[in-house]
Amino acid sequence: MASVKMMTVEVAYARPDKQVILKASVPENTTLEAAIQASGILEQFPEIDLDKNKVGIFGKLSKRDAPLCFGNRIEIYRPLIADPKQARRERATKARQAK
């Protein structure tokens, strides 16, 4: 019987009031979604919906079935509350009007 090799990954999630990075020990070739489940972060933050929240590895969007490597940092992203381009336009308009 072959032993299962384990690896450590991190799972990160941030709200304006609280940021968490949890370490999880998972079998090699674990998927991103399985590591999120194993980390326990979904119990700490019940508002996370993996069908709606985007996820990534080290700041790059990834699919939930992506295989992980030792030391990967999985990030769970919150939806944007404002379109960044529109917010910049509004700030520029305000700045012009203030002059």
Side-chain angles (χ1 to χ4, degrees), residues 17-61:
D17 64 324
K18 185 175 183 182
Q19 301 81 39
V20 174
I21 298 177
L22 301 174
K23 289 189 185 287
S25 183
V26 295
E28 281 187 339
N29 299 319
T30 294
T31 64
L32 192 146
E33 183 172 10
I36 290 171
Q37 298 283 351
S39 74
I41 202 160
L42 298 177
E43 288 76 27
Q44 283 191 28
F45 297 96
E47 71 269 16
I48 297 173
D49 181 351
L50 293 180
D51 290 326
K52 293 181 182 175
N53 291 78
K54 293 183 179 186
V55 294
I57 299 172
F58 288 119
K60 294 189 176 191
L61 287 178

Side-chain angles (χ1 to χ4, degrees), residues 56-92:
I57 299 172
F58 288 119
K60 294 189 176 191
L61 287 178
S62 299
K63 294 184 179 187
R64 295 185 318 204
D65 62 354
L68 298 175
C69 298
F70 178 83
N72 278 161
R73 183 185 66 232
I74 300 162
E75 299 161 345
I76 304 169
Y77 306 116
R78 292 181 296 123
L80 293 175
I81 56 173
D83 176 21
K85 289 181 183 178
Q86 183 61 35
R88 184 178 180 283
R89 278 188 215 109
E90 290 172 7
R91 285 193 308 271

